[in-house]
Amino acid sequence: MAKCRACVMVEPGKLVMEEFEIPEIPEDCALLKVEACGICGTDKHIYLGRLPTAPFPFITGHEFIGTIVKLGSKANDNMTVFGGPLKEGDRVAIAPSSTPCGHCYYCIHMPHRPTLCTTRTVYGFAPLQKTPGLWGGYSEYIYLHPKTYAFKLPEDMPMKRAVLIEPVATALRAVERAYSPGEPFMSHGYGVGRNAMVLGAGPIGLLVIAALRHSGAGLVIVQDLLNSRLDMAKRMGADLLIDGNLPLEQRLKQVREATDGVGPDVVIETAGVPVAFRESLDFVRRGGKLIEVGHYVIGSGSIDIQPFY
């Protein structure tokens, strides 16, 4: 049986290259040859031991794209395919999380929260013990199960652009969470012409800036510690750049002077560090909205804090 190589995270701080048998593909599944896989900040946190619930050992990597090399006869009937149907040779992007089971407590009682499903498979976070083990993007091949979300890619899309699809989806979701459809109050949340601030101009922050600019934001303020990232933020559409190395009081003064003395309508925290979240609470205006990308947070009486998921 043919074999493939994969990079296994055995424990925090330890990556090992191992060989795996390429599995036979049932009629409702597929096999993907990985073309590229991004390195998410979550992968870094796991490697540094900051996620004790990680399912060691496992193959990490969830920002991947690739080519369908084997396709079961019923895969199109079971997978959720966008732009389909799939055929062998198609290039696709895969959503990390699977479709919900539809049968557990959360699927039955909270169908609007599919991320709470207790039996979902998440690519890049499934243990090796879960057969056949090839669940992460740091592998030459990935086994695609029947509950996979697959997105067909245009044939002419360059690899360097295609591999950003999952991070772009994250950024778009963050901006969408800032909207408040159906809210009975005026000036609540995000909308066309509203002021927005992004804390952290890393890859996700830069993509959030692009999403804000594309969706009609008024003033876009960006804070970061590195000048190189602030320069890129400007290229992505930021209007006001804030040097995060300055004293907080000075930064607050700059932001409030640009926002009628009250602060931004929406703050999106993408740095992923505690100090940035604390400062987000200082920057956002009273009655505004704070989006914390990738973290669970609780509500507050004076502002509307929205968890990303």
Side-chain angles (χ1 to χ4, degrees):
M1 183 175 289
K3 295 181 180 292
C4 72
R5 295 177 303 167
C7 190
V8 178
M9 191 173 295
V10 178
E11 60 186 42
K14 186 176 182 180
L15 293 168
V16 177
M17 189 67 71
E18 297 186 14
E19 274 197 347
F20 294 84
E21 291 186 349
I22 298 177
E24 294 296 326
I25 301 302
E27 60 182 7
D28 56 355
C29 298
L31 184 69
L32 182 81
K33 181 174 175 54
V34 176
E35 181 179 345
C37 182
I39 300 175
C40 178
T42 302
D43 300 324
K44 178 182 176 182
H45 287 311
I46 294 173
Y47 181 80
L48 295 174
R50 296 171 181 167
L51 191 65
T53 58
F56 300 107
F58 67 110
I59 302 171
T60 54
H62 57 274
E63 299 177 2
F64 59 88
I65 58 168
T67 301
I68 300 291
V69 293
K70 291 185 181 180
L71 186 70
S73 60
K74 296 184 180 180
N76 278 297
D77 298 329
N78 290 274
M79 294 182 183
T80 302
V81 181
F82 295 79
L86 290 175
K87 63 182 184 300
E88 291 181 2
D90 283 341
R91 297 172 72 228
V92 296
I94 304 298
S97 299
S98 70
T99 57
C101 71
H103 306 293
C104 71
Y105 175 90
Y106 298 100
C107 284
I108 294 173
H109 296 280
M110 302 180 68
H112 58 291
R113 295 291 302 277
T115 55
L116 297 179
C117 175
T118 57
T119 63
R120 291 190 313 150
T121 296
V122 183
Y123 290 107
F125 297 95
L128 289 182
Q129 291 87 341
K130 184 178 176 67
T131 305
L134 297 176
W135 301 110
Y138 301 161
S139 173
E140 292 182 288
Y141 292 89
I142 293 181
Y143 176 87
L144 300 182
H145 58 75
K147 291 183 175 292
T148 296
Y149 287 103
F151 301 78
K152 287 183 66 172
L153 302 178
E155 293 182 1
D156 60 348
M157 180 176 284
M159 179 270 289
K160 289 184 178 180
R161 180 175 297 178
V163 77
L164 289 172
I165 288 176
E166 197 276 344
V168 168
T170 299
L172 290 172
R173 176 59 176 157
V175 174
E176 288 177 346
R177 291 292 286 122
Y179 284 98
S180 296
E183 284 281 359
F185 308 108
M186 294 178 62
S187 300
H188 186 83
Y190 178 66
V192 174
R194 298 285 171 79
N195 298 326
M197 183 174 184
V198 179
L199 274 71
I204 298 299
L206 292 171
L207 292 170
V208 167
I209 295 165
L212 289 168
R213 190 83 287 159
H214 181 73
S215 59
L219 179 70
V220 177
I221 306 168
V222 179
Q223 173 179 289
D224 200 273
L225 299 173
L226 302 177
N227 288 332
S228 59
R229 289 189 169 188
L230 291 175
D231 291 341
M232 182 59 73
K234 184 71 173 179
R235 293 175 60 185
M236 297 293 281
D239 300 300
L240 176 61
L241 307 177
I242 303 296
D243 182 355
N245 298 290
L246 297 174
L248 178 59
E249 295 76 12
Q250 187 172 339
R251 288 180 279 134
L252 286 171
K253 183 174 184 293
Q254 289 179 302
V255 171
R256 288 172 181 167
E257 284 179 349
T259 55
D260 299 320
V262 297
D265 299 301
V266 173
V267 171
I268 301 179
E269 194 282 293
T270 64
V273 294
V275 65
F277 175 70
R278 291 196 299 270
E279 291 185 356
S280 299
L281 297 170
D282 295 318
F283 282 116
V284 68
R285 70 166 170 81
R286 184 178 180 86
K289 180 167 287 190
L290 169 60
I291 306 296
E292 174 78 356
V293 178
H295 299 274
Y296 291 91
V297 293
I298 59 174
S300 167
S302 61
I303 60 172
D304 184 6
I305 303 178
Q306 293 285 353
F308 175 70
Y309 294 109

